[in-house]
Amino acid sequence: MAEPKSYRNFIDGEWVEASSRGALEDRSPADKGEVIGTFQDSGEADADAAIAAAARAFRRWRLVPAPKRAEYLFRMGEILLKRKEEYAREMTREMGKPIREARGDVQEAIDVCYHLAGEGRRLHGHTTPSELPNKACFSVRAPIGVCGLITPWNFPMAIPSWKLIPALVCGNAVVLKPASDAPLSSYHLVKICQEVGIPRGVVNYVTGSGAAVGGRLTAHPEVRLISFTGSSEVGRLVNLACADTFKRASLEMGGKNAMIVMDDARLDLAVDGAVWGAFATAGQRCTATSRIIVHKKVLKDFVDRLVERAGGLKIGDPLQESVDLGPLVNEAQLKKVMDYVQIGRDEGADPVLGGVRLTKAEYGRGFFFPPTIFTGVTPEMRIAREEIFGPVVCVLAADGLDDALAIANDTLYGLSSSIYTQDVNRAFTAARDLETGITYVNASTIGAETHLPFGGVKRTGNGHREGAAHTALDIFTEWKTVYVDYSGKLQKAQIDNG
Ligand code: NAD
């Protein structure tokens, strides 16, 4: 077997080793013997160097006209499109999502590049009349400065692109710290930044632990914004750390997403949506369907069909086109899922499918776990309340729409939700009353489109919405209001005129 490639940090336009000279191994979760590459195990000094480079570069980059900044991003989209297959395959190898889904992850970055390249010629502000004569008023978007981007492993190219690309078009400089389980996909993104000629220091990339590199980014006074996606536990710590230096913190965190299936739903459609929502990416999506709340009248029929469909999913090497379910990302995640399955059993829920680790030889070298469906789940059970982040879905019974909505909203999280019904009144009531940032009608809880605001409420988010939508620009810019008085005399605003 060839020696695994060694990847470096990217600081001030150079590929450099970490000062500690430690290394992190990026291993395939489908075959833990396979090392995809080694990455720098950086420390605070490396983060400091990247932040200093970004701060220097920001002074020049913010003055590059936005349409020119956008041209770099368009070229990034072109390169990504050309290399989509190569990057998708490497992504599947490093974090285990089926190849078809990995292509979608790269496609998302392409879409973000193209969409935000157009934004370079918009970045609209506002003009408004002044209350005084011979005075003009307008507001413009101003970049924030150095942005720390901290990302998870489950969408290893899409999520970094959601942060990096809007940050750049808005005129910020960045330090990107990817999750250690999937640093290669964001390495590709950064490499392309270099290829298209984004000036040195504007984009920096530092791999390493959350505590050392992430912790330094959140603490450093010159970093003016942290854009974080990850668990609610870590997001809370990030938010606290940001408060110390008055940074803006944009947080996208965990979920416990519910799908409601009403008695008038098209059950075939609902089952399709449930299987896709619960088991795509082996349930490791922040928007994964982890609770299905089914009207009592159709409960048995729905569960029978769901079990049959989920039982037919193909599990195995995620590089094979026909595979539906790859491995979990690492051993800790596998253990967490197995622990929750045990908790579910102890709580009295019934695992009607799966629930036992796959042990056949073909699974032995990876972290495979089968689709698992619990019935007899009640809202107070831990498996119905806590984020499991694996191929485990809980089915709960409801008496009607009000009951279903109450169960769906009885959670600390609020990312995505969905309802299957043929009744327009029920659909609109649910769209209004589900306490989530995203709601689907007659579609699964997963599958957001990048030009629409993405994010959640309660412990899922802190009020920001990312992706490539206009709301992403709100994260990466400050509003600056400009008054121009061309009267040639002192004019006082109405508040000062008594
Ligand atoms: P995680 O919280 O463990 O890690 C996320 C990132 O934070 C990693 O890069 C990690 O190294 C870093 N980090 C860890 N400790 C840190 C610290 N003290 N200071 C700064 N950074 C630190 O999450 P994960 O396991 O990588 O991802 C899974 C989680 O992400 C799930 O909870 C999932 O729901 C969530 N997620 C949310 C969204 C969303 O948009 N809402 C999208 C994808 C994933």
Side-chain angles (χ1 to χ4, degrees):
M1 201 185 282
E3 272 289 292
K5 202 170 155 196
S6 164
Y7 296 88
R8 297 179 174 196
N9 289 333
F10 189 57
I11 298 177
D12 206 11
E14 308 284 341
W15 293 97
V16 294
E17 286 184 353
S19 47
S20 65
R21 307 214 182 276
L24 299 168
E25 283 184 341
D26 185 13
R27 283 179 181 267
S28 163
D31 178 352
K32 55 194 174 200
E34 187 188 359
V35 181
I36 310 293
T38 60
F39 287 79
Q40 305 299 310
D41 188 6
S42 315
E44 293 192 355
D46 306 297
D48 282 350
I51 294 164
R56 285 192 300 273
F58 171 65
R59 289 184 214 126
R60 297 182 298 275
W61 181 243
R62 74 184 183 92
L63 300 177
V64 174
K68 289 284 163 207
R69 295 196 296 252
E71 284 171 15
Y72 293 109
L73 307 182
F74 187 83
R75 292 205 291 278
M76 286 180 71
E78 300 281 83
I79 296 179
L80 281 166
L81 190 59
K82 248 189 248 147
R83 300 194 195 138
K84 180 173 168 181
E85 187 60 24
E86 177 195 336
Y87 291 164
R89 294 187 80 77
E90 298 219 320
M91 182 186 300
T92 289
R93 285 177 63 222
E94 80 163 339
M95 54 70 69
K97 69 170 66 176
I99 181 68
R100 284 173 286 154
E101 293 184 38
R103 289 187 191 113
D105 200 310
V106 180
Q107 184 61 46
E108 181 103 355
I110 297 167
D111 293 341
V112 170
C113 285
Y114 286 155
H115 181 99
L116 287 166
E119 204 55 59
R121 288 191 180 268
R122 289 186 294 268
L123 279 185
H124 297 306
H126 306 278
T127 59
T128 181
S130 167
E131 62 193 36
L132 295 169
N134 299 320
K135 191 175 172 193
C137 315
F138 55 95
S139 53
V140 291
R141 289 187 183 276
I144 290 188
V146 177
C147 301
L149 315 180
I150 302 176
T151 57
W153 48 265
N154 67 334
F155 279 92
M157 187 175 277
I159 290 179
S161 80
W162 285 6
K163 301 178 186 305
L164 175 68
I165 305 301
L168 293 179
V169 79
C170 292
N172 302 286
V174 307
V175 179
L176 169 62
K177 189 218 100 59
S180 302
D181 277 310
L184 182 56
S185 298
S186 50
Y187 164 87
H188 291 314
L189 210 49
V190 171
K191 193 92 183 19
I192 296 176
C193 292
Q194 184 190 26
E195 274 181 63
V196 299
I198 291 177
R200 63 186 296 160
V202 173
V203 176
N204 302 275
Y205 165 85
V206 182
T207 53
S209 74
V213 181
R216 188 60 185 149
L217 286 174
T218 53
H220 199 294
E222 262 196 281
V223 177
R224 297 311 314 137
L225 172 146
I226 293 287
S227 173
F228 166 88
T229 302
S231 60
S232 299
E233 298 74 41
V234 175
R236 187 181 151 275
L237 296 176
V238 166
N239 210 12
L240 287 170
C242 286
D244 278 340
T245 43
F246 298 87
K247 287 181 184 46
R248 180 177 296 185
S250 164
L251 309 171
E252 295 286 350
M253 299 168 287
K256 191 72 189 171
N257 312 291
M259 167 186 291
I260 296 174
V261 181
M262 295 305 298
D263 51 341
D264 63 349
R266 270 188 51 194
L267 282 197
D268 55 340
L269 201 63
V271 169
D272 280 348
V275 170
W276 174 231
F279 304 121
T281 326
Q284 302 167 110
R285 292 195 187 197
C286 50
T287 49
T289 308
S290 57
R291 297 178 293 154
I292 309 176
I293 303 164
V294 188
H295 195 291
K296 276 182 180 153
K297 282 192 198 155
V298 291
L299 183 63
K300 184 174 174 334
D301 193 5
F302 176 83
V303 169
D304 288 348
R305 294 189 200 199
L306 180 66
V307 169
E308 192 191 326
R309 280 288 314 283
L313 292 176
K314 185 166 171 198
I315 307 165
D317 176 0
L319 281 169
Q320 281 180 22
E321 293 291 337
S322 56
V323 159
D324 301 300
L325 210 84
L328 295 167
V329 73
N330 59 32
E331 194 143 24
Q333 197 61 33
L334 176 65
K335 180 171 179 324
K336 182 177 171 196
V337 169
M338 294 199 313
D339 287 350
Y340 269 111
V341 168
Q342 190 55 47
I343 288 167
R345 287 181 207 273
D346 294 345
E347 287 177 313
D350 190 12
V352 289
L353 182 75
V356 179
R357 185 181 175 178
L358 299 163
T359 50
K360 274 203 235 152
E362 69 254 43
Y363 305 121
R365 293 174 66 80
F367 308 117
F368 292 92
F369 199 82
T372 297
I373 299 170
F374 272 107
T375 56
V377 179
T378 50
E380 72 288 351
M381 290 182 182
R382 282 183 63 193
I383 55 168
R385 308 193 76 78
E386 297 172 18
E387 186 180 48
I388 300 174
F389 227 55
V392 179
V393 71
C394 301
V395 180
L396 298 97
D399 288 324
L401 182 61
D402 288 348
D403 190 28
L405 290 171
I407 295 169
N409 288 336
D410 181 16
T411 170
L412 295 172
Y413 299 103
L415 183 53
S416 186
S417 56
S418 98
I419 180 164
Y420 282 81
T421 178
Q422 295 299 302
D423 179 337
V424 69
N425 298 334
R426 286 170 158 179
F428 272 86
T429 302
R432 183 193 62 198
D433 291 345
L434 282 164
E435 296 166 359
T436 53
I438 304 166
T439 293
Y440 294 88
V441 175
N442 291 326
S444 185
T445 58
I446 66 174
E449 297 183 33
T450 191
H451 55 297
L452 285 133
F454 183 95
V457 302
K458 301 181 181 170
R459 292 196 188 178
T460 297
N462 65 340
H464 299 279
R465 293 290 183 275
E466 64 177 17
H470 60 284
T471 49
L473 306 176
D474 290 336
I475 296 175
F476 291 101
T477 52
E478 295 278 10
W479 280 112
K480 173 176 269 188
T481 303
V482 182
Y483 296 100
V484 182
D485 189 322
Y486 52 98
S487 69
K489 59 184 182 197
L490 174 66
Q491 295 199 93
K492 291 186 181 167
Q494 202 148 290
I495 56 161
D496 295 316
N497 276 334

